């Protein structure tokens, strides 16, 4: 008898299941890199750093440091002169013959205690001939500026990075689309402005930690707090001339990343030492102060923007020249510049575009990936200009945004056809959430109240061939292990992957085990945990691996039951036949197989599924015009709106209501999506209100949590309305695309626009500190 | 550095520890007692990740010398659950989504625990103030506040 094919049970995808990592984290059992015990053979590393922003390194004398009892070894740039870098190989482990920022590693010491290693640093003598320095990227880009990298022409880079040897420009990305010059006379309104976005720091609560051990054959094991175990393996293997398979990276839970634990920052240093003291693990842990000024920073940006529209508000042209303060080494930062370039219009349909996105070497800390990868900085300028344009032609800002936001089928400025996206719906949702258009009364007579809105987009920024892989192993107790190479950095990826595997296989969510550490020796390859790409890319690999395991299970049972696999299904861990109504729990045969009839042997064996995913459809772009069929895999879009108040007596900004909505394609776990949206909003708000590196002649003046304040419990609005829409992504698992970075991208602009609405004063450059707002109100004559 | 022998109670258990005079309570917990749930985020009393309860008060363990802990009673995150039963704060931090990367979580839990020990019925403002010294870069804080409110309700 044929039974009716039942509607598949709902399954865990789309459900807010509890995270699978939080019991460990709530009890103190979760292991982070600094928690691993290495026994009494452990040595401690400290680093001698450049005290000047730019100079010729004439001498590094380590003899006195080596003689200090307890010091086991000292290494310098002479020991390891090889250059490394993710996109442009411009950085050595230690300065070799030139220093380029204050804090640059010059030498490192390994000793039996951290105190002795620190004391040894004072015994290292440096002789440096100071050179004129570059602190402003716009000036640094000019011919005649002091040159930081005279060897730029020899640096290795992929074909989508365009350095200009003989200058400080390490990448110059261009878009030339339509004819901006011809468009300006047709504009009814043009806004031209310069916006400066300061450097900020990621400040994960866990600072960088890495422990290296080399064996007597020179095989290296690195335990590191990283978003990128596989990228570290590849880069560090090359740097130290070790085969990739002999460079093993083990990565436990990460105490916050936000981009700064991607690629390689400080992890080469303990390896450089460990190779000289084989058999001794060497631990290097950044102090909070080092975390501020030697870790990747979010680059400062100077945006020169000119945007015009017709009298009906239709955008006609944009000219966007961005000078990125790339810092001393731009090995990773060059790709931030590229991403800022190809996404430089923001989520708008603009027919005439001229973009120059220029990465400039300066004698500041090195720039690198920061949650949003250039998009927060770009949108800070662009979405204020849109606000100004709407004001100029007298149009409602929500109406102006909805008129111009990009839609499925539109052509992106790089020539790619935009996929379907729900950005208009996002705008409607956030506008409704804060009662857009309704003038609210201030809560006190000394306050000014206003509202602001901004939209955003962001694509995963990565090499075109960044891949993912996954392995599903079935267990005889009804569980399964999903092995992945992507990192749990707080975003909940272990949980999302368990949901995807469970849904695809037909197993209960609780049966799926996903756990760290990620170990390059045993975990399947993953490019990096960056770019909001895991849910999408690794999710595809996990789905394929689960499908593979599922098919093997169905084929085995079909063979045993002499049925067609098409008539079989797996529901809640049980294989069922719609035809014969037979059933058997998966756990009964996925390891030990099934017996043939009459004791004639067995069929099957341990079931393992594998899956790989790599986008194969991202194309190159023309170096002069930035045009090509498909610059990126896809864009996640969204909107944010805020209702704020300014205290006229203090200048203090308070966010009363905040709303955010993003088109996530499919929310694999709605509660985790909301968690990203809330946390991202607060990180964006913190950067808007408080954060900025105070760099003075290359000296970081505020490298502590006292002087570099981040948002606390006292600063956040009581409720952040986190919403999403779901326009399925055709290349995503269950239609999903990423949303990890996006929530902080529009926040600075939304707040700047709200400040303007509340006070009538436009303050373009963050941070919008109480002092800055108060002084602007005084200048405008609003307060006396 | 000469060693000091100190006797103290950690999570209800009496410990005798020999520590150098310049060591902090944080170092002693992590490196002598292997209680690595207590985290080091700044070592200068600014981030709250190392918060533990000492004689009933929340303290930054990086700012307390181990030698000062003679006779003290310390509670760390490892001491919050009893015989496998989670403390209400742990339970609600899990359920409300107050944990992402988890690095600030132990400090948050102990600051909140100290608050509930001295004030079983805190207002939302009381909770925000008690946790103002615990920096979190992931969650945006509101789910943490909700978790503490829920824990207070069943306390």
């Amino acid at each position: 008898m044929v039974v009716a094919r039942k509607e598949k049970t709902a399954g865990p995808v789309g459900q807010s299941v509890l995270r699978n990592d939080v019991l460990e984290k709530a009890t103190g059992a979760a292991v982070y890199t600094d928690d691993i015990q290495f026994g009494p053979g452990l040595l401690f590393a400290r680093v001698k750093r450049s005290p000047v922003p730019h100079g010729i390194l004439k001498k590094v004398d380590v003899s006195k440091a080596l003689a200090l009892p307890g010091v086991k070894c000292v290494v310098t740039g002479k020991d390891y002169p090889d250059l490394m870098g993710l996109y442009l190989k411009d950085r050595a482990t230690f300065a070799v013959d030139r220093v380029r920022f204050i804090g640059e590693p010059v030498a490192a010491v390994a000793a039996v205690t951290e105190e002795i290693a620190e004391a040894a640093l004072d015994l290292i003598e440096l002789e440096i001939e100071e050179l004129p320095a570059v602190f402003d990227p716009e000036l640094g880009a000019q011919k005649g500026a002091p040159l930081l990298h005279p060897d730029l022409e020899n640096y290795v880079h992929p074909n989508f990075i365009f350095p200009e040897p003989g200058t400080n420009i390490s990448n110059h990305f261009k878009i030339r689309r339509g004819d901006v010059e011809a468009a300006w006379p047709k504009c009814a309104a043009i806004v031209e402005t310069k916006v400066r976005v300061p450097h900020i720091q990621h400040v994960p609560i866990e600072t960088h930690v890495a422990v290296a051990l080399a064996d007597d054959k020179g095989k290296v094991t690195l335990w590191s707090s990283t978003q990128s175990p596989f990228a570290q393996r590849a880069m560090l293997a090359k740097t130290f001339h070790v085969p990739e398979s002999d460079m093993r990276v083990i990565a436990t839970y990460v105490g916050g990343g936000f981009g700064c634990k991607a690629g390689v920052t400080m992890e080469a240093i303990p390896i450089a030492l460990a190779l000289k003291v084989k058999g001794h693990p060497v631990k290097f842990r950044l102090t909070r102060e080092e975390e501020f000024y030697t870790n990747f920073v979010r680059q400062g940006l100077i945006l020169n923007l000119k945007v015009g529209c017709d009298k009906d508000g239709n955008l006609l042209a944009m000219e966007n020249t961005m000078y990125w303060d790339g810092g001393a080494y731009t090995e990773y930062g060059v790709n931030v510049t590229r991403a800022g370039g190809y996404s430089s219009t923001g989520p708008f349909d603009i027919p005439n575009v001229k973009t120059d996105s220029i990465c400039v070497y300066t004698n500041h800390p090195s720039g690198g990936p920061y949650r949003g990868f250039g998009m927060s900085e770009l949108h800070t300028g662009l979405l204020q200009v849109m606000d100004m344009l709407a004001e100029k032609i007298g149009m409602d800002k929500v109406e102006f945004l909805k008129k111009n936001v990009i839609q499925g089928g539109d052509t992106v400025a790089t020539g790619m056809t935009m996929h379907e996206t729900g950005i208009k719906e996002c705008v409607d949702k956030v506008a409704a959430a804060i009662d857009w258009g309704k003038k609210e009364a201030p809560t006190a007579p000394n306050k000014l109240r206003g509202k602001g809105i901004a939209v955003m987009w962001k694509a995963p920024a990565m090499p075109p061939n960044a891949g993912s892989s996954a392995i599903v192993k079935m267990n005889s107790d009804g569980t399964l292990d999903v092995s992945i190479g992507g990192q749990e950095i707080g975003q909940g990826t272990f949980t999302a992957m368990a949901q995807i595997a469970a849904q695809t296989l037909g197993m209960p969510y609780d049966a799926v085990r996903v756990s760290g550490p990620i170990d390059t020796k045993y975990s399947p390859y993953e490019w990096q945990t960056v770019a909001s790409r895991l849910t999408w890319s690794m999710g595809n690999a996990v789905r394929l691996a689960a499908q593979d395991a599922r098919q093997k299970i169905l084929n085995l049972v079909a063979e045993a039951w002499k049925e067609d696999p098409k008539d079989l299904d797996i529901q809640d861990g049980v294989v069922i036949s719609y035809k014969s109504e037979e059933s058997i729990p998966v756990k009964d045969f996925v390891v030990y197989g099934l017996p043939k009839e009459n004791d004639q042997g067995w069929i099957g064996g341990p079931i393992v599924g594998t899956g790989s995913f790599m986008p194969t459809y991202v194309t190159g772009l023309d170096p002069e015009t930035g045009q090509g069929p498909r610059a990126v895999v896809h864009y996640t879009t969204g909107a944010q709106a805020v209702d704020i108040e300014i205290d006229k007596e203090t200048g203090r900004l308070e966010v009363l209501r905040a709303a955010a909505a993003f088109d996530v394609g499919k929310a694999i776990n709605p509660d985790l999506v909301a968690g990203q949206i809330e946390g991202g909003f607060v990180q964006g708000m913190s950067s808007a209100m408080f954060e900025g590196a105070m760099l003075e002649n290359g000296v970081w003046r505020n490298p502590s949590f006292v002087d570099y304040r981040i948002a606390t419990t006292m600063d956040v609005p009581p409720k952040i309305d986190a919403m999403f829409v779901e326009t399925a992504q055709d290349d995503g698992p269950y239609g999903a695309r990423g949303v990890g970075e996006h929530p902080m991208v529009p926040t600075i602009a939304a707040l700047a626009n709200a400040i303007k609405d509340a006070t009538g004063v436009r303050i373009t450059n963050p941070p919008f500190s109480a002092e800055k707002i108060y002084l602007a109100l005084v200048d405008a004559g609003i307060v006396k | 550095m000469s060693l000091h022998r100190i006797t103290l109670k950690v999570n209800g258990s009496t410990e005798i520890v020999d520590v150098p005079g310049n060591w902090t309570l944080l170092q002693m917990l992590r490196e002598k007692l292997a209680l690595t749930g207590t985290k080091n985020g700044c070592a200068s009393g600014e981030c709250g990740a190392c918060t533990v309860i000492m004689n009933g008060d929340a303290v930054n363990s990086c700012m307390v010398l181990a030698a000062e802990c003679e006779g003290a009673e310390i509670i760390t995150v490892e001491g919050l659950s009893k015989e496998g039963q989670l403390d209400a704060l742990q339970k609600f931090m899990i359920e409300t989504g107050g944990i992402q990367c988890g690095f600030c979580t132990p400090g948050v839990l102990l600051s909140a625990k100290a608050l509930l020990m001295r004030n079983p019925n805190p207002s939302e403002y009381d909770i925000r103030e008690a946790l103002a010294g615990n920096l979190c870069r992931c969650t945006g804080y509101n789910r943490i506040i909700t978790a503490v409110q829920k824990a207070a309700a069943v306390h």
Side-chain angles (χ1 to χ4, degrees):
Chain A
M1 187 185 82
V2 178
V3 293
R5 195 165 282 249
K6 279 188 295 183
E7 197 57 36
K8 210 169 169 69
T9 49
V13 161
Q15 306 294 318
S16 293
V17 299
L18 282 184
R19 295 175 64 125
N20 52 17
D21 59 334
V22 283
L23 181 60
E24 285 179 273
K25 289 176 174 178
T27 54
V31 173
Y32 299 79
T33 305
D34 198 30
D35 302 338
I36 305 171
Q37 307 290 315
F38 288 92
L42 181 66
L43 301 178
F44 297 87
R46 297 297 299 139
V47 169
K48 180 76 175 177
R49 300 180 177 282
S50 171
V52 303
H54 196 195
I56 301 295
L57 188 57
K58 308 203 84 154
K59 199 176 85 182
V60 184
D61 184 348
V62 303
S63 53
K64 287 180 188 152
L66 266 174
L68 185 70
V71 169
K72 295 295 182 187
C73 80
V74 183
V75 291
T76 72
K78 294 272 183 282
D79 297 302
Y80 301 102
D82 287 73
L83 296 177
M84 69 174 127
L86 196 68
Y87 292 98
L88 173 72
K89 290 184 196 247
D90 67 356
R91 180 168 69 92
T93 304
F94 304 96
V96 179
D97 48 20
R98 185 190 281 252
V99 292
R100 297 181 175 92
F101 73 101
I102 293 176
E104 177 164 7
V106 173
V109 177
V112 293
T113 69
E114 213 160 2
E115 290 82 357
I116 293 173
E118 186 75 35
L121 299 184
D122 289 339
L123 302 175
I124 297 174
E125 290 168 12
L126 303 183
E127 196 183 316
I128 299 173
E129 180 189 323
E130 270 206 72
L131 294 171
V134 172
F135 298 122
D136 181 303
E138 206 165 5
L139 294 175
Q142 309 307 316
K143 292 217 163 31
L147 209 55
L148 271 71
H149 288 265
D151 295 333
L152 178 55
E153 64 184 322
N154 302 324
Y155 294 168
V156 177
H157 57 83
N159 66 355
F160 53 82
I161 301 297
F162 303 103
E164 297 180 359
T167 75
N168 287 318
I169 296 171
S170 57
N171 190 24
H172 186 164
F173 181 91
K174 299 173 197 167
I175 294 177
R176 300 291 181 267
R177 175 179 175 76
D179 184 348
V180 286
E181 292 309 323
W184 300 128
K186 296 176 194 151
C187 293
I190 293 174
V191 169
E192 202 169 352
T193 191
K194 180 187 278 261
V195 176
R196 286 174 183 270
V197 185
H199 293 81
I200 65 169
Q201 191 47 282
H202 311 68
V203 293
I205 307 304
E206 178 203 42
T207 61
H208 283 69
V209 193
V211 182
L213 172 66
D215 72 8
D216 56 355
K217 295 197 175 62
K219 289 188 183 181
V220 176
T221 305
L222 179 77
W223 292 263
S224 100
S225 168
T226 179
Q227 300 173 230
S228 311
F230 289 90
Q232 289 196 339
R233 178 181 73 169
M235 290 170 73
L236 294 167
K238 279 208 176 63
T239 303
F240 293 103
H241 304 282
V242 174
E244 263 195 29
S245 53
D246 289 346
M247 177 66 67
R248 177 181 178 189
V249 181
I250 301 173
T252 58
Y253 281 125
V254 176
F258 316 111
C260 71
K261 289 172 183 162
V264 170
T265 49
M266 47 69 92
E267 294 81 5
I269 291 168
I271 297 176
L273 290 161
L275 285 167
K276 307 282 185 190
V277 285
K278 287 178 179 158
H280 281 281
V282 178
K283 180 187 261 194
F284 183 39
R285 194 176 153 281
L286 294 189
T287 64
R288 180 53 64 184
E289 187 182 16
E290 286 176 314
E291 185 77 19
F292 270 102
Y293 68 88
T294 71
N295 176 26
F296 283 137
V297 289
R298 189 173 89 183
Q299 298 98 311
L301 174 64
I302 299 175
L303 272 145
N304 295 298
L305 270 166
K306 183 178 177 184
V307 186
C309 65
D310 68 17
K311 64 177 177 23
D312 300 319
N314 297 299
L315 290 170
L316 297 183
M318 180 192 86
E319 202 172 318
N320 185 348
T321 307
M322 290 173 270
Y323 292 96
W324 299 86
D325 189 336
Y329 300 96
T330 64
E331 48 114 342
Y332 209 138
V334 288
N335 201 43
V336 178
T337 303
R338 182 172 191 270
Y342 61 61
S343 295
S344 58
T345 58
F348 297 104
D349 182 15
I350 310 179
N352 301 289
V353 177
K354 178 170 183 279
T355 293
D356 291 275
S357 185
I358 300 166
C359 190
V360 186
Y361 283 123
T362 67
N363 297 105
H364 279 151
S366 294
Y370 187 117
R371 190 179 197 173
F373 212 70
M375 293 304 106
S376 302
E377 304 92 296
L378 165 72
H379 285 72
T380 293
L382 197 61
L383 269 298
Q384 291 194 66
V385 167
M386 296 303 165
D387 213 61
M388 294 182 221
L389 266 178
E391 283 172 4
K392 216 164 174 175
I393 60 160
M395 193 172 200
D396 175 72
K397 290 161 183 178
V398 165
E399 198 188 325
F400 183 86
L401 292 176
K402 284 175 71 179
K403 183 180 250 300
N404 286 295
V405 286
I406 198 144
Q407 294 293 287
D410 287 350
T411 304
V412 176
T414 53
M416 154 179 165
T417 303
M418 185 64 186
H419 52 82
E420 292 301 320
T421 187
I423 187 168
K424 275 190 186 170
E425 213 179 325
C426 291
V427 172
D428 284 334
K429 276 180 183 284
V430 299
I434 65 152
D435 302 306
W436 182 263
K438 183 178 163 208
K439 192 72 191 160
E440 314 277 350
T443 60
N446 61 325
K447 291 186 174 174
L448 299 167
R449 191 160 174 182
K451 295 175 183 176
I453 187 166
V455 294
M456 65 75 64
W457 73 349
K458 186 190 178 294
M462 56 193 195
N465 57 344
S468 296
S469 55
I471 303 169
V472 167
K473 296 177 282 187
M474 305 302 295
N475 299 322
S476 62
D477 62 354
T479 67
L480 59 137
D481 289 293
V482 178
S483 295
I484 49 175
Q487 252 305 26
E488 179 56 66
I489 62 173
Q491 80 285 48
T493 201
F494 285 2
T495 303
M497 293 306 124
Q499 290 177 264
I500 290 172
Q503 179 85 28
T504 308
L505 261 160
M507 299 292 287
Y509 165 71
D510 290 340
V512 186
R513 307 279 180 266
V514 184
S515 60
I518 307 305
D519 183 335
T520 57
K521 199 174 172 73
Y522 299 111
S523 306
Y525 177 85
E526 183 66 46
W527 177 60
Q528 295 195 97
T529 299
V530 297
S532 309
R533 60 181 281 281
L534 288 193
T535 302
W536 161 73
S537 182
M538 188 163 77
N540 275 328
V542 167
R543 189 177 186 200
L544 290 167
Q547 273 171 354
D548 187 34
R550 175 187 166 84
Q551 198 58 51
K552 285 171 175 163
I553 289 168
L554 296 183
N555 290 350
L556 172 60
V557 175
E559 186 185 342
W561 292 351
K562 300 187 173 58
E563 291 199 42
D564 186 334
K566 289 193 182 70
D567 292 322
L568 305 182
D569 195 3
I570 308 173
Q571 287 202 15
D572 222 22
V574 178
V575 179
I576 54 169
S577 168
Y578 294 115
K579 197 170 172 188
S580 62
E581 292 191 47
E582 291 269 5
S583 71
I584 180 170
V586 161
K587 69 182 166 67
D588 289 2
F589 61 87
V590 285
V591 174
Y592 305 113
L594 285 166
K596 291 181 189 164
E597 279 173 27
N598 305 321
D599 206 15
Q600 294 302 302
W602 291 73
I603 59 170
I607 302 274
V608 176
T610 62
S612 291
F613 174 77
M614 186 180 88
T616 52
Y617 35 82
V618 175
T619 64
L621 303 176
D622 182 275
E624 289 308 316
T625 64
Q627 299 299 299
R630 192 156 177 186
V632 297
V633 288
H634 54 250
Y635 281 97
T636 298
T637 63
Q640 245 168 32
V642 288
D643 177 6
I644 65 140
E645 225 166 38
I646 306 279
D647 185 326
K648 283 195 280 187
E649 286 158 17
T650 63
R652 189 171 184 277
L653 160 66
E654 187 181 356
V655 180
L656 303 175
R657 286 188 289 177
F662 297 89
D663 188 344
V664 299
K666 170 74 186 174
I668 302 293
N669 184 318
D671 203 48
L672 290 190
V673 169
Q676 288 303 299
I677 293 176
E678 292 165 29
F681 173 81
V682 169
Q683 197 171 126
M685 187 197 86
S686 183
S687 71
M689 291 171 65
F690 307 119
E691 298 180 37
M694 296 166 77
L695 288 162
E696 208 177 285
N697 295 324
V699 179
W700 192 309
R701 294 289 184 196
N702 55 340
S704 75
F705 280 130
V706 170
D707 297 318
Y708 183 106
R709 195 155 115 51
I710 66 170
T712 72
T713 51
M714 306 299 277
D715 302 308
V716 298
K719 187 167 178 292
I720 296 156
D721 215 336
M723 300 168 284
F724 53 84
V725 299
E726 297 179 311
T727 309
Q729 182 61 41
D730 62 3
D731 67 344
Y734 299 98
R737 58 178 99 77
V739 71
E741 301 162 281
H742 309 72
M744 76 178 285
V745 169
T747 313
I748 298 176
L751 286 169
N753 296 340
I755 293 169
K756 170 65 171 53
D757 186 53
T759 66
V761 180
R762 168 75 58 185
I763 308 173
T764 49
N765 301 343
F768 311 123
S769 62
E771 182 184 9
K772 191 185 280 181
I773 294 174
Y774 179 79
L775 292 174
L777 296 181
V778 171
D779 283 348
I782 294 166
V783 292
K784 301 280 183 291
Chain B
M1 191 69 64
S2 63
L3 295 179
H4 297 254
R5 170 155 297 185
I6 60 167
T7 305
L8 75 169
K9 259 195 175 164
V10 181
N11 299 329
S13 158
T14 301
E15 306 284 353
I16 299 172
V17 197
D18 294 324
V19 285
N22 64 347
W23 272 34
T24 62
L25 172 57
L26 172 64
Q27 280 174 295
M28 179 175 74
L29 291 171
R30 289 182 57 84
E31 293 169 37
K32 288 282 180 183
L33 299 172
L35 294 169
T36 54
T38 303
K39 301 303 181 199
N40 177 356
C42 71
S44 49
E46 297 171 359
C47 76
C50 68
T51 305
V52 299
I53 294 176
M54 179 176 175
N55 300 329
D57 290 326
V59 297
N60 284 318
S61 63
C62 71
M63 301 303 282
V64 176
L65 283 174
E68 292 177 83
C69 297
E70 175 63 37
E73 286 198 32
I74 308 290
I75 305 172
T76 71
V77 67
E78 290 90 347
L80 281 180
S81 61
K82 298 278 185 295
E83 285 153 18
Q85 279 295 106
L86 294 180
D87 187 276
L89 283 163
Q90 293 171 306
K91 175 176 178 282
F92 287 113
M93 278 284 278
I94 289 172
E95 287 179 7
T96 62
I99 304 173
Q100 287 190 22
C101 87
F103 206 77
C104 74
T105 304
V108 165
L109 285 168
L110 274 297
S111 286
K113 184 74 183 172
L115 168 69
L116 297 187
M117 282 162 62
R118 70 171 183 272
N119 177 3
N121 297 303
S123 67
E124 182 182 333
Y125 184 85
D126 292 336
I127 298 169
R128 287 187 184 273
E129 194 179 39
L131 295 178
N134 291 89
L135 298 180
C136 168
R137 195 60 155 169
C138 297
T139 65
Y141 299 109
N142 285 343
R143 287 164 184 261
I144 294 173
I145 305 301
T146 305
V148 180
Q149 286 173 319
K150 287 186 172 176
V154 301
H155 214 258

